[in-house]
Amino acid sequence: MAGKAAYRKKRQNRMGMLLVTTVVIMMLIVVAVKSVELREKRTAYMAREEALMQEIEAEQARTEEIKEYEKYTQTKKYVEEIAKNKLGLVYEGEIIFKDEN
């Protein structure tokens, strides 16, 4: 009778070890799959970050251009240019020659 109990206990131990091994293997598979997904997300986020950094640089350059244009619009040269081109104004005694085309 003691032999049967020992055999049953060994069998239960084997089943327990098999179950634990199966659970561990399944956990490793899940971790591996999630790891791959996280790497893909990280790569996508890095690409998005790079695109956003390029957009920021472009906007900063555009901001500089706008500031330069703002300075230019406050100059006498700009005022004269607009007065002549848009409003058709001239200095007293100035003669304007226009192309007939």
PDB file of all heavy atoms in Angstrom, residues 63-80:
ATOM      1  N   THR A  63       8.837  81.530 -38.156  1.00  0.00           N
ATOM      2  CA  THR A  63       8.700  82.612 -37.184  1.00  0.00           C
ATOM      3  C   THR A  63       9.768  83.675 -37.412  1.00  0.00           C
ATOM      4  O   THR A  63       9.480  84.882 -37.361  1.00  0.00           O
ATOM      5  CB  THR A  63       8.795  82.059 -35.741  1.00  0.00           C
ATOM      6  OG1 THR A  63       7.750  81.117 -35.549  1.00  0.00           O
ATOM      7  CG2 THR A  63       8.694  83.148 -34.709  1.00  0.00           C
ATOM      8  N   GLU A  64      10.988  83.234 -37.670  1.00  0.00           N
ATOM      9  CA  GLU A  64      12.069  84.180 -37.953  1.00  0.00           C
ATOM     10  C   GLU A  64      11.772  84.993 -39.222  1.00  0.00           C
ATOM     11  O   GLU A  64      12.002  86.198 -39.255  1.00  0.00           O
ATOM     12  CB  GLU A  64      13.408  83.446 -38.092  1.00  0.00           C
ATOM     13  CG  GLU A  64      13.962  82.949 -36.777  1.00  0.00           C
ATOM     14  CD  GLU A  64      14.242  84.078 -35.797  1.00  0.00           C
ATOM     15  OE1 GLU A  64      14.800  85.121 -36.203  1.00  0.00           O
ATOM     16  OE2 GLU A  64      13.889  83.915 -34.620  1.00  0.00           O
ATOM     17  N   GLU A  65      11.265  84.306 -40.246  1.00  0.00           N
ATOM     18  CA  GLU A  65      10.923  85.014 -41.479  1.00  0.00           C
ATOM     19  C   GLU A  65       9.848  86.057 -41.226  1.00  0.00           C
ATOM     20  O   GLU A  65       9.913  87.173 -41.743  1.00  0.00           O
ATOM     21  CB  GLU A  65      10.434  84.024 -42.542  1.00  0.00           C
ATOM     22  CG  GLU A  65      11.505  83.142 -43.106  1.00  0.00           C
ATOM     23  CD  GLU A  65      10.951  82.093 -44.062  1.00  0.00           C
ATOM     24  OE1 GLU A  65       9.764  82.177 -44.444  1.00  0.00           O
ATOM     25  OE2 GLU A  65      11.713  81.180 -44.410  1.00  0.00           O
ATOM     26  N   ILE A  66       8.856  85.707 -40.426  1.00  0.00           N
ATOM     27  CA  ILE A  66       7.777  86.647 -40.114  1.00  0.00           C
ATOM     28  C   ILE A  66       8.312  87.843 -39.338  1.00  0.00           C
ATOM     29  O   ILE A  66       7.927  88.989 -39.604  1.00  0.00           O
ATOM     30  CB  ILE A  66       6.645  85.929 -39.330  1.00  0.00           C
ATOM     31  CG1 ILE A  66       5.924  84.959 -40.257  1.00  0.00           C
ATOM     32  CG2 ILE A  66       5.671  86.928 -38.726  1.00  0.00           C
ATOM     33  CD1 ILE A  66       4.943  84.039 -39.566  1.00  0.00           C
ATOM     34  N   LYS A  67       9.223  87.590 -38.404  1.00  0.00           N
ATOM     35  CA  LYS A  67       9.817  88.695 -37.645  1.00  0.00           C
ATOM     36  C   LYS A  67      10.601  89.625 -38.570  1.00  0.00           C
ATOM     37  O   LYS A  67      10.530  90.844 -38.436  1.00  0.00           O
ATOM     38  CB  LYS A  67      10.721  88.154 -36.537  1.00  0.00           C
ATOM     39  CG  LYS A  67       9.964  87.580 -35.365  1.00  0.00           C
ATOM     40  CD  LYS A  67      10.921  87.061 -34.299  1.00  0.00           C
ATOM     41  CE  LYS A  67      10.155  86.448 -33.142  1.00  0.00           C
ATOM     42  NZ  LYS A  67      11.058  85.889 -32.124  1.00  0.00           N
ATOM     43  N   GLU A  68      11.363  89.031 -39.482  1.00  0.00           N
ATOM     44  CA  GLU A  68      12.119  89.843 -40.441  1.00  0.00           C
ATOM     45  C   GLU A  68      11.181  90.658 -41.331  1.00  0.00           C
ATOM     46  O   GLU A  68      11.423  91.821 -41.599  1.00  0.00           O
ATOM     47  CB  GLU A  68      13.032  88.957 -41.306  1.00  0.00           C
ATOM     48  CG  GLU A  68      14.191  88.353 -40.558  1.00  0.00           C
ATOM     49  CD  GLU A  68      15.147  89.393 -39.996  1.00  0.00           C
ATOM     50  OE1 GLU A  68      15.453  90.376 -40.702  1.00  0.00           O
ATOM     51  OE2 GLU A  68      15.569  89.233 -38.834  1.00  0.00           O
ATOM     52  N   TYR A  69      10.097  90.035 -41.779  1.00  0.00           N
ATOM     53  CA  TYR A  69       9.124  90.744 -42.611  1.00  0.00           C
ATOM     54  C   TYR A  69       8.460  91.864 -41.813  1.00  0.00           C
ATOM     55  O   TYR A  69       8.221  92.949 -42.339  1.00  0.00           O
ATOM     56  CB  TYR A  69       8.070  89.777 -43.156  1.00  0.00           C
ATOM     57  CG  TYR A  69       7.103  90.434 -44.109  1.00  0.00           C
ATOM     58  CD1 TYR A  69       7.509  90.793 -45.392  1.00  0.00           C
ATOM     59  CD2 TYR A  69       5.796  90.708 -43.722  1.00  0.00           C
ATOM     60  CE1 TYR A  69       6.641  91.411 -46.264  1.00  0.00           C
ATOM     61  CE2 TYR A  69       4.919  91.324 -44.588  1.00  0.00           C
ATOM     62  CZ  TYR A  69       5.338  91.673 -45.866  1.00  0.00           C
ATOM     63  OH  TYR A  69       4.470  92.290 -46.724  1.00  0.00           O
ATOM     64  N   GLU A  70       8.192  91.606 -40.540  1.00  0.00           N
ATOM     65  CA  GLU A  70       7.594  92.635 -39.682  1.00  0.00           C
ATOM     66  C   GLU A  70       8.536  93.837 -39.572  1.00  0.00           C
ATOM     67  O   GLU A  70       8.101  94.990 -39.661  1.00  0.00           O
ATOM     68  CB  GLU A  70       7.305  92.059 -38.300  1.00  0.00           C
ATOM     69  CG  GLU A  70       6.659  93.051 -37.353  1.00  0.00           C
ATOM     70  CD  GLU A  70       6.414  92.474 -35.970  1.00  0.00           C
ATOM     71  OE1 GLU A  70       7.013  91.438 -35.612  1.00  0.00           O
ATOM     72  OE2 GLU A  70       5.621  93.085 -35.237  1.00  0.00           O
ATOM     73  N   LYS A  71       9.825  93.572 -39.390  1.00  0.00           N
ATOM     74  CA  LYS A  71      10.807  94.670 -39.342  1.00  0.00           C
ATOM     75  C   LYS A  71      10.815  95.427 -40.668  1.00  0.00           C
ATOM     76  O   LYS A  71      10.875  96.650 -40.696  1.00  0.00           O
ATOM     77  CB  LYS A  71      12.204  94.116 -39.047  1.00  0.00           C
ATOM     78  CG  LYS A  71      12.395  93.652 -37.636  1.00  0.00           C
ATOM     79  CD  LYS A  71      13.809  93.106 -37.457  1.00  0.00           C
ATOM     80  CE  LYS A  71      13.990  92.447 -36.107  1.00  0.00           C
ATOM     81  NZ  LYS A  71      15.324  91.833 -35.978  1.00  0.00           N
ATOM     82  N   TYR A  72      10.768  94.674 -41.774  1.00  0.00           N
ATOM     83  CA  TYR A  72      10.794  95.297 -43.103  1.00  0.00           C
ATOM     84  C   TYR A  72       9.564  96.180 -43.318  1.00  0.00           C
ATOM     85  O   TYR A  72       9.660  97.259 -43.897  1.00  0.00           O
ATOM     86  CB  TYR A  72      10.886  94.226 -44.185  1.00  0.00           C
ATOM     87  CG  TYR A  72      10.721  94.756 -45.587  1.00  0.00           C
ATOM     88  CD1 TYR A  72      11.674  95.595 -46.147  1.00  0.00           C
ATOM     89  CD2 TYR A  72       9.618  94.405 -46.349  1.00  0.00           C
ATOM     90  CE1 TYR A  72      11.523  96.094 -47.432  1.00  0.00           C
ATOM     91  CE2 TYR A  72       9.454  94.897 -47.633  1.00  0.00           C
ATOM     92  CZ  TYR A  72      10.408  95.739 -48.172  1.00  0.00           C
ATOM     93  OH  TYR A  72      10.255  96.229 -49.437  1.00  0.00           O
ATOM     94  N   THR A  73       8.396  95.725 -42.855  1.00  0.00           N
ATOM     95  CA  THR A  73       7.173  96.506 -43.071  1.00  0.00           C
ATOM     96  C   THR A  73       7.177  97.813 -42.283  1.00  0.00           C
ATOM     97  O   THR A  73       6.385  98.697 -42.569  1.00  0.00           O
ATOM     98  CB  THR A  73       5.911  95.703 -42.677  1.00  0.00           C
ATOM     99  OG1 THR A  73       5.984  95.325 -41.316  1.00  0.00           O
ATOM    100  CG2 THR A  73       5.733  94.498 -43.568  1.00  0.00           C
ATOM    101  N   GLN A  74       8.058  97.943 -41.334  1.00  0.00           N
ATOM    102  CA  GLN A  74       8.138  99.171 -40.552  1.00  0.00           C
ATOM    103  C   GLN A  74       9.190 100.134 -41.102  1.00  0.00           C
ATOM    104  O   GLN A  74       9.423 101.191 -40.505  1.00  0.00           O
ATOM    105  CB  GLN A  74       8.422  98.826 -39.086  1.00  0.00           C
ATOM    106  CG  GLN A  74       7.293  98.038 -38.455  1.00  0.00           C
ATOM    107  CD  GLN A  74       7.630  97.527 -37.073  1.00  0.00           C
ATOM    108  OE1 GLN A  74       8.743  97.685 -36.592  1.00  0.00           O
ATOM    109  NE2 GLN A  74       6.658  96.903 -36.422  1.00  0.00           N
ATOM    110  N   THR A  75       9.792  99.800 -42.241  1.00  0.00           N
ATOM    111  CA  THR A  75      10.799 100.676 -42.822  1.00  0.00           C
ATOM    112  C   THR A  75      10.170 101.640 -43.826  1.00  0.00           C
ATOM    113  O   THR A  75       9.083 101.411 -44.356  1.00  0.00           O
ATOM    114  CB  THR A  75      11.889  99.864 -43.551  1.00  0.00           C
ATOM    115  OG1 THR A  75      11.296  99.161 -44.640  1.00  0.00           O
ATOM    116  CG2 THR A  75      12.581  98.893 -42.606  1.00  0.00           C
ATOM    117  N   LYS A  76      10.885 102.719 -44.093  1.00  0.00           N
ATOM    118  CA  LYS A  76      10.426 103.725 -45.055  1.00  0.00           C
ATOM    119  C   LYS A  76      10.390 103.134 -46.468  1.00  0.00           C
ATOM    120  O   LYS A  76       9.493 103.445 -47.254  1.00  0.00           O
ATOM    121  CB  LYS A  76      11.357 104.939 -45.001  1.00  0.00           C
ATOM    122  CG  LYS A  76      10.897 106.084 -45.855  1.00  0.00           C
ATOM    123  CD  LYS A  76      11.796 107.296 -45.701  1.00  0.00           C
ATOM    124  CE  LYS A  76      11.274 108.418 -46.582  1.00  0.00           C
ATOM    125  NZ  LYS A  76      12.096 109.619 -46.486  1.00  0.00           N
ATOM    126  N   LYS A  77      11.331 102.276 -46.776  1.00  0.00           N
ATOM    127  CA  LYS A  77      11.383 101.645 -48.098  1.00  0.00           C
ATOM    128  C   LYS A  77      10.097 100.875 -48.385  1.00  0.00           C
ATOM    129  O   LYS A  77       9.546 100.941 -49.487  1.00  0.00           O
ATOM    130  CB  LYS A  77      12.593 100.716 -48.196  1.00  0.00           C
ATOM    131  CG  LYS A  77      12.756 100.059 -49.538  1.00  0.00           C
ATOM    132  CD  LYS A  77      13.975  99.160 -49.562  1.00  0.00           C
ATOM    133  CE  LYS A  77      14.067  98.477 -50.911  1.00  0.00           C
ATOM    134  NZ  LYS A  77      15.145  97.528 -50.999  1.00  0.00           N
ATOM    135  N   TYR A  78       9.612 100.139 -47.413  1.00  0.00           N
ATOM    136  CA  TYR A  78       8.376  99.361 -47.589  1.00  0.00           C
ATOM    137  C   TYR A  78       7.188 100.293 -47.820  1.00  0.00           C
ATOM    138  O   TYR A  78       6.360 100.052 -48.702  1.00  0.00           O
ATOM    139  CB  TYR A  78       8.128  98.474 -46.368  1.00  0.00           C
ATOM    140  CG  TYR A  78       6.808  97.749 -46.414  1.00  0.00           C
ATOM    141  CD1 TYR A  78       6.647  96.620 -47.219  1.00  0.00           C
ATOM    142  CD2 TYR A  78       5.726  98.180 -45.669  1.00  0.00           C
ATOM    143  CE1 TYR A  78       5.438  95.949 -47.274  1.00  0.00           C
ATOM    144  CE2 TYR A  78       4.512  97.514 -45.716  1.00  0.00           C
ATOM    145  CZ  TYR A  78       4.367  96.397 -46.520  1.00  0.00           C
ATOM    146  OH  TYR A  78       3.165  95.740 -46.581  1.00  0.00           O
ATOM    147  N   VAL A  79       7.104 101.339 -47.025  1.00  0.00           N
ATOM    148  CA  VAL A  79       5.995 102.289 -47.165  1.00  0.00           C
ATOM    149  C   VAL A  79       6.011 102.908 -48.563  1.00  0.00           C
ATOM    150  O   VAL A  79       4.962 103.020 -49.214  1.00  0.00           O
ATOM    151  CB  VAL A  79       6.067 103.381 -46.068  1.00  0.00           C
ATOM    152  CG1 VAL A  79       5.021 104.467 -46.302  1.00  0.00           C
ATOM    153  CG2 VAL A  79       5.897 102.755 -44.695  1.00  0.00           C
ATOM    154  N   GLU A  80       7.177 103.308 -49.052  1.00  0.00           N
ATOM    155  CA  GLU A  80       7.293 103.871 -50.399  1.00  0.00           C
ATOM    156  C   GLU A  80       6.882 102.849 -51.457  1.00  0.00           C
ATOM    157  O   GLU A  80       6.175 103.172 -52.412  1.00  0.00           O
ATOM    158  CB  GLU A  80       8.721 104.340 -50.663  1.00  0.00           C
ATOM    159  CG  GLU A  80       9.106 105.575 -49.916  1.00  0.00           C
ATOM    160  CD  GLU A  80      10.549 105.986 -50.175  1.00  0.00           C
ATOM    161  OE1 GLU A  80      11.260 105.285 -50.950  1.00  0.00           O
ATOM    162  OE2 GLU A  80      10.974 106.993 -49.591  1.00  0.00           O
TER     163      GLU A  80
END
